[in-house]
Amino acid sequence: MRNGGIRKETRSSALWGTGNRGGESRSSALWGKGGRGAVTALAAMLVLSVPFAASAPKHGRLATQVTPKKTWISPGLVKSAKQHPNQYVRVIIQSTNGSITPALSAFTHVNQFADDDRGGLARRLSLVDGVAASVRLRDVARLAKLPNLIVTPDVQVHTSGLSSTQLWPFETGLSKGWSGGDAPKPGSVPAIAIVDSGIQPGRADFGSRVLANVKFSTLPDDSPGDGRGHGTFVAGIAAGAADNYTGGTPQAPLVSLDVMDDHGVARTSDVIAAAQWILANKNTYNIRVANFSLHSATQSHFFRDPLDQAVEKLWFSGVVVVAAAGNYGVPTGPSGVLYAPGNDPFVVTVGAIDIGGTKNTHDDMNAPWSAYGRTPDGFMKPELAAPGRYMVGPVPATSTLAIEKATNVVAPGYIQLSGTSFAAPIISAAAAQILGKHPEYTPDQVKGALMASTKPIDGAPVGSVGVGEIQVTNAAAMKSPPNPNKALEQFVKPDLTGSSVFDAVSWSDTAKANVSWDSVSWADVSWADTAASAVSWADVSWASVSWADVSWADVSWADVSWADSSYEDAAEGDAAADPSAYELTPEQAAEIMADPETAPDPSVLPDAVAAVVDDSAGATGATGATGATGATGATGAG
């Protein structure tokens, strides 16, 4: 039984194809008709009957074998046989009467009808009383008429540990980096700092990859570990490695910086202290990405907000800062992105999309609560978007999130949640993959690679998803990414200590004198080679903002000091969806495997999905005795 992508009990053998898992019944299995209409079938039946008709049974075990049993055929094979009867496929034929002889005889029987030499016996499997062989799919019907057999596709064996029943890792292309040729080299992926409510210690999702766990919260209601559950969920989306719940980049080390209490609230000063710790320890732990799935409580100009200044320090020091756009969006139009750190022009601000449960982007849309629009200083945010609706991830069973949203819990220790909080760690994972392959990249280059590789979202309001939805494969492969922050570089100056700081006075003077000062960002020739959606970003850039539309009234510094708090970006009002609506289905997996941009190593597909996809791949892509084996069959899926 599955619930929100969960398989209860232990996984049954892949030999049962798409039959029920975890229970005893196999009500969905398709049984052969057992007919004896042809002379050849009757002859085969006589051969197969010899072992248990030679003498009267004397033992209980033999007594159970006397009565012929109907043959079970994998439903995927039956379906493929109807669609592609002349294709060859690799199968395993097992006997159920305790002898390999019926399986051998069954193959011999069907092979006599072959009209070429592409079919053949691959090997004997005496351990399971079976044989591996290549047969034409139309011969599945002949096998179904013979008794005492189990016939299943000779599918790939999938390693346990890295797989997901959720659609989003496959749609974004992140799953391509889990294993195989597209996976980062061991030890190359940098650490991601999760500035949040902490990470549940000792959790198998992360193993030994949590390199440090530091508490910064000074609020009284902050339990040890992760009392809220938000940080564990964010970390799971970014880098979890649990079977069926693998996150974006499961190779990434993590650093847990606890700034939130058990109610999802943090002091802004505690968040700044965490940023300060990252700056001091980034080389020790190789921290190159910092995820902030939170926002401050007070609107402010980025050049005066202390949290914005803190994350800029990280950016200038080589740390990619990823921030959630916020969940205060409105369906009637832009809400603006008003709060630090998402309002900072340097950082990567991430909006959330609803992927609609399919790989096809035509049914994707901006999540209605995902904030977008101008910052108080006229910059358009977010820069791009990632899936953030109806996400399933890890949560401590005793956390306040698990208790408050008990109906969203899909299995012990896993919950379905929505929010830009959970879109941001997808981009953090993508940034880690990019840096694993291009450690020389600056944060500006990583941001450019992310933006230049997106896919447009049809029908999304202008600016609501930035330049589009992340496509990691293209981003990681980009050799010379453009710099979206190029126009701002002229205002980055060294301070007295030699560190880089933003010269807000010079920027303000230039911006007031020339409203198109930022056009240099989009004059970069490298943008011309990127997706049209990225180039069109010039149309909504800062240059189109008139000074009259930008509020330059000074924010009351007293308001900021008295409202020293930040909040998580979880969509508390978003009800749980049908848990299966956003799962990876065989149909969607087939589309993903047929697309070179998203097709991962087949080993990361969940077993139940892989069995069906491999059946289909064997039927459509097999060209010889190899049948539906390996990536050849997978890339042929349609």
Side-chain angles (χ1 to χ4, degrees):
M1 181 180 297
R2 301 174 67 194
N3 184 6
I6 316 305
R7 296 195 198 120
K8 297 184 178 179
E9 306 173 17
T10 59
R11 285 176 294 156
S12 54
S13 168
L15 293 174
W16 288 110
T18 54
N20 292 344
R21 294 175 176 265
E24 292 300 322
S25 64
R26 297 188 175 98
S27 57
S28 63
L30 301 182
W31 294 88
K33 295 181 180 179
R36 302 187 184 184
V39 173
T40 53
L42 177 59
M45 284 297 295
L46 293 174
V47 172
L48 292 170
S49 300
V50 169
F52 43 76
S55 62
K58 296 182 179 180
H59 302 285
R61 180 174 179 270
L62 291 176
T64 61
Q65 298 171 353
V66 171
T67 303
K69 297 179 180 178
K70 291 182 179 180
T71 283
W72 186 87
I73 307 290
S74 168
L77 286 174
V78 174
K79 179 180 178 181
S80 298
K82 293 177 180 179
Q83 297 173 340
H84 309 280
N86 293 321
Q87 294 289 341
Y88 277 88
V89 65
R90 282 284 293 267
V91 296
I92 295 175
I93 305 171
Q94 285 179 277
S95 168
T96 60
N97 78 337
S99 169
I100 194 175
T101 303
L104 283 166
S105 299
F107 168 72
T108 301
H109 167 65
V110 299
N111 196 51
Q112 67 178 308
F113 299 100
D115 51 13
D116 55 42
D117 59 358
R118 286 188 288 168
L121 186 67
R123 64 174 61 198
R124 298 181 181 220
L125 303 170
S126 57
L127 185 65
V128 294
D129 299 324
V131 296
S134 293
V135 299
R136 217 185 270 274
L137 276 167
R138 67 190 181 197
D139 291 330
V140 167
R142 292 189 172 100
L143 289 171
K145 295 178 180 179
L146 305 179
N148 304 307
L149 301 175
I150 296 172
V151 184
T152 57
D154 188 3
V155 299
Q156 284 192 331
V157 175
H158 302 280
T159 57
S160 174
L162 297 182
S163 68
S164 178
T165 56
Q166 303 303 296
L167 177 61
W168 68 263
F170 300 94
E171 176 168 329
T172 59
L174 277 163
S175 62
K176 288 198 72 171
W178 292 353
S179 63
D182 290 294
K185 294 180 180 179
S188 65
V189 179
I192 303 172
I194 306 295
V195 184
D196 214 283
S197 61
I199 298 176
Q200 182 182 7
R203 201 176 168 105
D205 302 67
F206 312 115
S208 60
R209 289 181 296 119
V210 181
L211 307 182
N213 197 324
V214 186
K215 177 182 170 66
F216 291 95
S217 177
T218 56
L219 294 173
D221 296 330
D222 182 35
S223 302
D226 183 11
R228 178 59 176 165
H230 192 268
T232 300
F233 194 100
V234 168
I237 297 296
D243 191 16
N244 291 339
Y245 299 105
T246 298
T249 303
Q251 304 93 336
L254 296 166
V255 172
S256 173
L257 305 178
D258 181 359
V259 299
M260 283 185 195
D261 68 4
D262 295 355
H263 307 290
V265 179
R267 291 190 188 278
T268 301
S269 52
D270 293 340
V271 180
I272 294 171
Q276 183 173 295
W277 186 94
I278 294 172
L279 188 62
N281 293 276
K282 64 184 181 68
N283 293 334
T284 301
Y285 298 103
N286 190 27
I287 301 171
R288 296 291 306 277
V289 183
N291 188 93
F292 292 80
S293 289
L294 48 78
H295 67 80
S296 65
T298 305
Q299 298 182 35
S300 64
H301 297 302
F302 79 96
F303 52 85
R304 288 187 179 140
D305 191 285
L307 180 52
D308 281 318
Q309 293 177 16
V311 297
E312 284 176 10
K313 290 273 189 168
L314 294 180
W315 190 271
F316 300 150
S317 70
V319 178
V320 178
V321 176
V322 180
N327 298 337
Y328 47 87
V330 293
T332 55
S335 60
V337 177
L338 309 173
Y339 308 105
N343 68 342
D344 192 277
F346 286 96
V347 309
V348 184
T349 304
V350 185
I353 60 172
D354 183 337
I355 61 175
T358 70
K359 177 185 182 295
N360 192 327
T361 59
H362 294 302
D363 61 356
D364 292 2
M365 57 179 285
N366 61 304
W369 32 256
S370 184
Y372 76 95
R374 303 285 177 185
T375 71
D377 302 299
F379 295 95
M380 195 70 180
K381 291 283 186 170
E383 280 85 6
L384 76 168
R389 205 167 196 194
Y390 311 129
M391 313 287 283
V392 175
V395 67
T398 59
S399 65
T400 55
L401 262 180
I403 295 171
E404 291 170 4
K405 290 186 167 287
T407 57
N408 289 47
V409 174
V410 298
Y414 292 91
I415 194 171
Q416 185 185 74
L417 297 172
S418 300
T420 56
S421 270
F422 315 127
I426 291 177
I427 301 303
S428 291
Q433 279 198 20
I434 293 171
L435 288 167
K437 296 182 178 181
H438 301 283
E440 74 282 5
Y441 276 8
T442 65
D444 290 333
Q445 288 175 302
V446 173
K447 182 177 180 178
L450 290 167
M451 292 180 67
S453 61
T454 55
K455 299 180 294 186
I457 301 301
D458 298 340
V462 174
S464 63
V465 295
V467 295
E469 178 185 354
I470 179 63
Q471 179 54 61
V472 179
T473 307
N474 294 338
M478 196 165 292
K479 300 298 183 183
S480 300
N483 180 5
N485 293 336
K486 188 173 182 179
L488 291 168
E489 286 183 342
Q490 61 185 301
F491 307 109
V492 179
K493 312 287 186 182
D495 63 10
L496 296 177
T497 66
S499 300
S500 296
V501 295
F502 184 73
D503 185 348
V505 173
S506 296
W507 171 76
S508 178
D509 291 343
T510 301
K512 289 176 181 178
N514 179 11
V515 295
S516 61
W517 65 271
D518 72 335
S519 61
V520 64
S521 288
W522 299 96
D524 192 327
V525 67
S526 60
W527 281 108
D529 299 326
T530 65
S533 58
V535 178
S536 67
W537 190 242
D539 296 335
V540 293
S541 65
W542 196 93
S544 64
V545 178
S546 69
W547 281 103
D549 294 333
V550 180
S551 172
W552 286 93
D554 289 344
V555 174
S556 169
W557 213 209
D559 290 343
V560 175
S561 62
W562 283 107
D564 181 21
S565 59
S566 299
Y567 299 94
E568 64 185 30
D569 281 312
E572 297 301 322
D574 207 8
D578 174 5
S580 65
Y582 289 74
E583 287 181 348
L584 179 70
T585 65
E587 293 76 16
Q588 298 307 317
E591 288 191 31
I592 286 163
M593 297 303 292
D595 183 350
E597 289 188 358
T598 56
D601 187 290
S603 66
V604 304
L605 293 176
D607 292 341
V609 171
V612 179
V613 172
D614 284 346
D615 273 4
S616 175
T620 58
T623 57
T626 55
T629 59
T632 302
T635 55

